[in-house]
Amino acid sequence: MRRYLRLAVLAAALVALTAMAAGCGSKKSSSSSNSSGSSSSSSGSSNNQGSASSPSKSYDNGSSTKGGTYTVGWEQSFGFTDNFDPTGEYLGNAWGIYVNLLMRPLIGYKHLPGAAGNELIGDLATDVPKPTDGGLTYTYHLRKGIKFGPPVNRVITSKDVAYALDRLADPKDGGEYGFYYTVIKGWDAASKTSGTHISGVSTPDNNTLVIHLTQPTGDFNYRMSMPATAPIPPEVGKCFQGKPGDYGRNLISSGPYMIAGSAGKFTGCSSLKPFSGYAGANGNHISLVRNPNYDQSTDQYRKNYPDKFQFVINSNADDIFNKVEAGQYDDEQSSPSPKTLRQYATNPNLKKRLLPNVGDRTWYLTMNLTQPPFDDIHVRKAMNYIIDKQSLRLAWGGAIEGQIATHIVPPVLYNNGLAEYDPYGTPNEAGDVQKAMAEMKQSKYDPGHTGKCTAGACKGVLMIGDTRSLDNRMIPVIQADAKKIGITFTVRQINGAYTTIQTTSKNIPFSERPGWGKDYADASTFFAELFDGGAIIPQGNTNYSLVGVTPAMNTSKKLGLKGNLNNVPSVDSDIAACQKKLAQDRINCWEALDKRLMTQVVPWVPYLWSNNVTIVGPKVTHWNYDQFSDGPAYSLVSVKS
Amino acid sequence: MIFYIARRLVWTLVVVFCVIGITYVVFYKLPAGNPALRFAGKSPTQQELTEIEHRLGLDRPWYVQFGKYAYNFFAGDKYGWPGLGYTFASGTSVKSLVFSRAPRTLLLIAGAAVLWLVSGVAIGVLSAVRRRSLTDRFAMGFALFGISTPVFWLGLMMLYIFWSKLGWAGGTGYVSPADSPTGFFSHMILPWVTLALLYAAFYARMTRNNLLETMGEDYIRTARAKGLSERRVIFKHGLRASLTPIVTMFGLDIALLVGGAVITETVFNIQGLGYLAINSATNQDLPIVAGVVLLAAVAVALANLVVDILYAFIDPRVRYA
């Protein structure tokens, strides 16, 4: 008995240890954007400081023609957060598939790279409406005649969009970004009781949807471009009420493609069987075929060249890139190894198929404003001066991995505004000891004004890191830099470090792990979630620096904070003011807030605006980036048949 | 004998229960983070978290969760027996998912096991019979190479040479034998060889050492004195006695590989049980990980039982009362 128990326990423990060596990732990060980086520079280390120009590389190799199958190798697993059910799905890669191929929200995009890709267009709606009633009412007019794919096969009406919003609000249907819609009148009531209609959403006729807000919200049209707001036929959606994720296997198309196996006629919930083209989040493929009910004349921006799309799970990243090179895959959702990057960057024949594009994602070192020594702004400023961002980027893999970040939000979200703004600029972005020491001299932790932190609070400061090879390369750089101004770190590397730093009661002073990407092309998706004191929560908290926290909040929300909570700066009123503004005023407002945060609050050391690097196969005849979904513009790609 | 088997089966159930307890603690109580957070989006409200925890069954006291978990395993759940629950990520049956991946792993193990057993024992015998000859040195050199070579490296080299350069093998991925028998063999031959090489090396060394030790026994001298041929002495008297530890090792190795062939599965993109477990761990899909661990543990326990029963047939000295 003892022997068997020992062996069985050994087997369990082995798998357990391996399992615990794995971790969790951040929300809505695509595989490529979460790239592990590489150990050597693949494209040199030139300082791109001041260059707003972000790489925006497309690929053309002959004329685009209809036909063929576009195959995408997808590393490891789909990683869906809600089983591909658009109401709750929060994975960027899934959004790319939705908005390019399967769904038509009221508001859409041109599926282009750069700032043009962030411009709103009417998709299911005829145009992008201007708010009325002092910014409180939005009226959308639907294009006529757009139909759902099989097995529903009927014309889409405004009630289908209203139902999608109801479903998003329903607490039992798994919505994961309902917080963007709490400004809709009646949302809160609907989110408290399952099956309640949102009172602020009305459908005067089948082609009109009116939404009343409780406060002016300048980016509301952007919010209506999110996949969860795309039409869902209520007769199908209600079959899955209270079963979050299940609709993903019976997703009814409103776009140019549909999940393979969508067929027949819907006669009731019992007639629905999961579509064969998608076997669930734990499955290993998604097959999409043309939607026979799609009318190209209603869609100006999607071109829909391939007859079929295949998304195939492959456990081996090297194998994915071998298959891309061999033309067995046309595209990948993976992280190229340093060797692969070098191979493509140095071979002129391959280089044209190496396609870096701006990922709309900032990577940063976060400092907790309540924990010594980072409760002193001069220490935080000194950290911004001392960190060698160039070396951190090299740790990632060099210039191809992105542009060195000099403030909070990537310039592309300001329409390339603040591109030259660099409040802590140093030569070659490699850090400046003199400037850092000058800041440190003003700190209470340097009473002797030596330029180095001499207080005990600076010794053995806890730094939480992850366990990726990238972290192993970054952490020594940060340690060496901080030591120059007297700060030493006790490093604790945790697999899936996000969970730890998102728990407020852990009181983590410093972490090198965080990165943040946009949800849509408005800077509010950075500021409101990362710096709004009201959004601080005990678990899953993303305001790591605790900007805007108060002692009262600590008590009422049971945050478990132990530190200096008095006089923590707040930008809540700035965020609220910017949220009400529109167009360029809004951008200007966010830019001003970005500057304020960088100079008066200083919660981060931002160091990289990362690229998404894609490698396409030799059969591809056109590829470009979709800035909204931060991935391939599937609706515009083409392959040789 | 029947009483012995029945008694062992009861003990196996006890072992499985213990493993369920350990599995539950390791996967549900020890992880630092709340799995509900993965399905809660950014900045979830407490209400949303509570709803997800309720949906995943994480809101009940731990002993209730554990009791239900253990009961379902033995008595079955709505998906049948054994009750392994449903996946967090897709809400579908863990059992059907595990069973759909199991053939891939079992066929990988079966093919590799045949290769390593045949080649490992043959090389070991050859090496023992021709002790200190060039053949022996070469065989032990092979064993050293097999033991020292990391599986992931060997797998990648195999792919590079036999698929990428020579085009002899089918490459990565899994082709069901029902869909294409030739495709199945051409895709599986490299993973079989890769996995088998490591084990064949161990088996060769073990067979050699056991056989050398056995061949020094008195009864071998007696067999030779009776005038039996050297072939008969080696295979009937020597090898049979030295096989007992090999059988033990063989049973356990196969059982351990049920959840432990993850590197081979990953390199060759077979996506079997081990890969499923690791991948699910990455995504915090605890029921899948726990399901694979449980099945691997049951496989180890049952393999032990089978091995012990086989002893009686291989070694005449072993009898079960």
Side-chain angles (χ1 to χ4, degrees):
Chain A
M1 163 67 188
R2 282 180 60 198
R3 181 167 47 132
Y4 307 136
L5 179 61
R6 201 164 57 231
L7 283 166
V9 168
L10 179 67
L14 274 173
V15 181
L17 280 172
T18 321
M20 292 175 76
C24 65
S26 65
K27 303 294 185 296
K28 218 234 140 186
S29 58
S30 65
S31 6
S32 340
S33 66
N34 236 345
S35 120
S36 58
S38 56
S39 56
S40 62
S41 168
S42 53
S43 301
S45 58
S46 64
N47 175 23
N48 62 358
Q49 176 47 34
S51 143
S53 57
S54 13
S56 167
K57 210 173 159 192
S58 299
Y59 175 69
D60 280 293
N61 181 30
S63 58
S64 296
T65 52
K66 297 259 181 189
T69 299
Y70 194 85
T71 306
V72 182
W74 197 307
E75 189 182 344
Q76 201 174 26
S77 73
F78 289 121
F80 294 143
T81 64
D82 196 26
N83 200 25
F84 206 52
D85 180 338
T87 298
E89 189 55 60
Y90 215 149
L91 186 79
N93 296 337
W95 289 11
I97 297 173
Y98 288 148
V99 300
N100 277 279
L101 305 176
L102 289 175
M103 300 166 72
R104 299 185 66 176
L106 289 169
I107 303 300
Y109 298 88
K110 296 176 182 172
H111 310 291
L112 295 174
N118 285 332
E119 282 175 30
L120 297 179
I121 52 125
D123 191 352
L124 182 61
T126 53
D127 53 11
V128 182
K130 287 196 164 48
T132 55
D133 190 21
L136 294 176
T137 302
Y138 284 76
T139 304
Y140 297 91
H141 298 287
L142 274 66
R143 291 177 200 274
K144 291 180 181 165
I146 297 181
K147 293 171 80 176
F148 280 120
V152 173
N153 300 310
R154 66 162 173 80
V155 169
I156 296 169
T157 73
S158 51
K159 292 181 178 64
D160 300 314
V161 181
Y163 173 71
L165 290 169
D166 284 346
R167 195 166 191 259
L168 183 56
D170 194 315
K172 292 195 181 300
D173 281 344
E176 294 192 14
Y177 47 89
F179 54 86
Y180 283 129
Y181 307 92
T182 52
V183 291
I184 299 177
K185 200 173 165 186
W187 184 277
D188 287 344
S191 68
K192 285 189 172 66
T193 311
S194 184
T196 308
H197 174 64
I198 306 161
S199 62
V201 177
S202 60
T203 53
D205 61 53
N206 279 346
N207 294 310
T208 308
L209 182 86
V210 182
I211 299 179
H212 299 284
L213 308 185
T214 55
Q215 62 190 63
T217 306
D219 60 353
F220 190 72
N221 277 323
Y222 281 103
R223 302 183 190 196
M224 292 306 288
S225 72
M226 307 277 267
T229 66
I232 295 174
E235 62 270 36
V236 174
K238 283 175 180 169
C239 300
F240 304 102
Q241 191 161 19
K243 299 176 193 168
D246 283 7
Y247 174 64
R249 295 198 62 193
N250 282 109
L251 192 154
I252 306 298
S253 171
S254 53
Y257 295 84
M258 61 183 190
I259 297 175
S262 311
K265 190 176 175 188
F266 178 79
T267 54
C269 294
S270 58
S271 69
L272 276 177
K273 297 282 177 287
F275 300 151
S276 58
Y278 171 53
N282 302 113
N284 52 18
H285 76 284
I286 299 176
S287 296
L288 306 182
V289 294
R290 289 192 186 279
N291 172 4
N293 296 337
Y294 172 74
D295 181 357
Q296 179 77 65
S297 69
T298 64
D299 196 342
Q300 188 183 347
Y301 295 104
R302 297 181 181 86
K303 300 301 177 194
N304 317 312
Y305 290 111
D307 287 336
K308 190 175 178 185
F309 281 86
Q310 288 268 35
F311 300 89
V312 184
I313 295 295
N314 189 324
S315 58
N316 184 338
D318 288 331
D319 188 42
I320 289 176
F321 289 100
N322 286 337
K323 286 185 169 169
V324 169
E325 192 179 342
Q328 293 176 28
Y329 292 164
D330 303 300
D331 200 338
E332 43 78 23
Q333 291 290 351
S334 182
S335 306
S337 68
K339 174 178 156 275
T340 305
L341 280 175
R342 261 196 308 275
Q343 183 191 354
Y344 276 81
T346 54
N347 183 331
N349 292 327
L350 297 177
K351 196 172 183 177
K352 58 190 176 185
R353 291 197 275 119
L354 176 68
L355 306 167
N357 278 275
V358 173
D360 295 342
R361 182 172 288 265
T362 306
W363 295 92
Y364 56 96
L365 314 177
T366 181
M367 298 173 282
N368 187 332
L369 273 55
T370 71
Q371 299 297 310
F374 303 115
D375 56 350
D376 184 325
I377 192 170
H378 297 293
V379 175
R380 303 197 294 272
K381 285 186 174 181
M383 284 296 287
N384 268 277
Y385 279 122
I386 201 66
I387 292 295
D388 179 353
K389 297 179 181 180
Q390 199 65 256
S391 291
L392 291 182
R393 184 169 69 168
L394 273 175
W396 274 69
I400 197 169
E401 293 288 352
Q403 188 181 347
I404 285 177
T406 55
H407 51 89
I408 308 281
V409 175
V412 69
L413 294 186
Y414 297 137
N415 210 3
N416 288 336
L418 290 196
E420 307 294 327
Y421 180 65
D422 185 6
Y424 302 98
T426 62
N428 198 33
E429 294 295 341
D432 186 323
V433 179
Q434 295 310 317
K435 284 181 177 174
M437 290 177 80
E439 270 304 330
M440 186 58 89
K441 280 178 186 172
Q442 302 173 58
S443 159
K444 65 184 176 187
Y445 295 108
D446 180 16
H449 308 294
T450 61
K452 286 194 173 190
C453 180
T454 51
C458 291
K459 310 302 170 204
V461 179
L462 179 62
M463 179 205 300
I464 295 295
D466 218 308
T467 54
R468 304 164 301 167
S469 55
L470 169 62
D471 304 291
N472 294 337
R473 295 192 295 273
M474 282 177 55
I475 287 169
V477 174
I478 299 164
Q479 283 180 299
D481 288 343
K483 198 173 177 183
K484 293 172 193 167
I485 50 173
I487 298 174
T488 60
F489 285 108
T490 299
V491 180
R492 194 170 158 228
Q493 287 180 263
I494 301 170
N495 217 308
Y498 273 119
T499 310
T500 301
I501 62 177
Q502 289 178 348
T503 305
T504 52
S505 59
K506 303 275 186 189
N507 291 290
I508 304 301
F510 187 92
S511 177
E512 54 80 51
R513 183 64 177 86
W516 192 263
K518 73 166 195 314
D519 279 346
Y520 53 83
D522 188 272
S524 69
T525 64
F526 274 71
F527 294 116
E529 296 176 50
L530 296 171
F531 303 113
D532 189 336
I536 294 173
I537 46 177
Q539 287 186 83
N541 176 52
T542 50
N543 183 346
Y544 310 118
S545 299
L546 297 172
V547 177
V549 76
T550 62
M553 200 183 288
N554 186 28
T555 309
S556 64
K557 292 190 176 184
K558 299 178 181 167
L559 299 176
L561 298 175
K562 291 172 186 163
N564 184 2
L565 301 182
N566 297 313
N567 305 318
V568 174
S570 168
V571 292
D572 293 4
S573 57
D574 304 64
I575 293 170
C578 291
Q579 289 284 25
K580 293 176 184 166
K581 294 184 187 293
L582 289 167
Q584 192 57 44
D585 282 351
R586 186 179 180 86
I587 291 176
N588 295 342
C589 188
W590 291 131
E591 287 181 3
L593 178 54
D594 198 326
K595 287 180 176 176
R596 191 183 158 213
L597 277 161
M598 285 304 295
T599 55
Q600 296 173 32
V601 182
V602 202
W604 297 358
V605 181
Y607 66 88
L608 185 71
W609 289 315
S610 61
N611 289 338
N612 280 348
V613 181
T614 302
I615 294 173
V616 296
K619 286 197 302 180
V620 173
T621 51
H622 175 80
W623 186 97
N624 71 260
Y625 192 68
D626 177 358
Q627 199 66 44
F628 164 68
S629 61
D630 284 325
Y634 294 120
S635 57
L636 299 178
V637 299
S638 59
V639 283
K640 289 174 189 159
S641 302
Chain B
M1 178 68 130
I2 291 172
F3 177 72
Y4 172 79
I5 293 172
R7 190 160 49 95
R8 289 293 309 277
L9 279 173
V10 171
W11 276 120
T12 302
L13 288 177
V14 174
V15 169
V16 170
F17 184 78
C18 295
V19 170
I20 288 175
I22 294 163
T23 304
Y24 178 81
V25 170
V26 167
F27 291 109
Y28 285 79
K29 302 315 292 179
L30 290 188
N34 180 355
L37 282 171
R38 197 181 106 68
F39 305 96
K42 290 173 180 170
S43 308
T45 63
Q46 190 54 49
Q47 184 195 1
E48 287 166 340
L49 269 181
T50 306
E51 190 67 47
I52 296 166
E53 284 169 353
H54 177 68
R55 172 159 52 94
L56 302 182
L58 300 171
D59 57 338
R60 288 160 228 167
W62 69 266
Y63 48 85
V64 175
Q65 289 183 51
F66 174 66
K68 193 172 176 210
Y69 184 77
Y71 175 81
N72 283 344
F73 181 79
F74 287 109
D77 58 14
K78 65 177 178 177
Y79 304 111
W81 188 90
L84 298 176
Y86 57 89
T87 74
F88 284 174
S90 63
T92 52
S93 158
V94 171
K95 191 186 79 175
S96 62
L97 183 65
V98 167
F99 283 13
S100 71
R101 300 293 182 96
R104 298 166 179 235
T105 299
L106 296 179
L107 289 169
L108 169 67
I109 296 170
V114 170
L115 284 180
W116 88 59
L117 191 64
V118 171
S119 60
V121 171
I123 291 169
V125 170
L126 196 66
S127 188
V129 171
R130 300 188 182 172
R131 192 180 174 196
R132 292 183 182 162
S133 67
L134 194 60
T135 309
D136 182 25
R137 308 263 187 237
F138 183 77
M140 287 305 101
F142 159 80
L144 188 64
F145 173 76
I147 291 167
S148 314
T149 309
V151 170
F152 72 88
W153 181 85
L154 184 65
L156 290 173
M157 287 299 106
M158 289 271 192
L159 279 171
Y160 179 73
I161 296 168
F162 295 105
W163 173 47
S164 182
K165 289 295 166 193
L166 300 176
W168 293 355
T172 56
Y174 175 77
V175 176
S176 165
D179 294 340
S180 164
T182 51
F184 169 73
F185 277 103
S186 79
H187 279 82
M188 291 302 277
I189 188 69
L190 293 184
W192 281 341
V193 171
T194 302
L195 190 58
L197 189 65
L198 170 69
Y199 287 90
F202 277 117
Y203 280 61
R205 287 182 72 146
M206 196 158 183
T207 304
R208 178 182 182 273
N209 292 345
N210 287 343
L211 192 56
L212 283 175
E213 196 178 322
T214 307
M215 295 301 280
E217 296 283 345
D218 290 345
Y219 68 89
I220 295 291
R221 196 171 58 223
T222 306
R224 283 186 174 130
K226 282 198 302 184
L228 294 179
S229 67
E230 189 62 15
R231 178 186 295 258
R232 199 168 168 80
V233 169
I234 291 169
F235 286 101
K236 181 158 176 63
H237 296 279
L239 185 58
R240 188 174 174 187
S242 48
L243 271 184
T244 312
I246 302 285
V247 169
T248 308
M249 201 162 84
F250 187 64
L252 292 179
D253 284 342
I254 285 181
L256 285 169
L257 280 174
V258 169
V262 62
I263 297 173
T264 311
E265 288 178 3
T266 303
V267 169
F268 291 98
N269 189 27
I270 292 172
Q271 299 180 33
L273 287 176
Y275 179 74
L276 178 68
I278 296 300
N279 200 34
S280 303
T282 307
N283 292 320
Q284 286 191 292
D285 207 333
L286 304 183
I288 300 179
V289 191
V292 175
V293 170
L294 269 177
L295 287 187
V298 169
V300 169
L302 290 179
N304 269 286
L305 180 60
V306 171
V307 163
D308 284 353
I309 294 167
L310 278 179
Y311 278 171
F313 295 97
I314 295 169
D315 191 340
R317 293 168 297 185
V318 178
R319 288 288 178 269
Y320 297 115

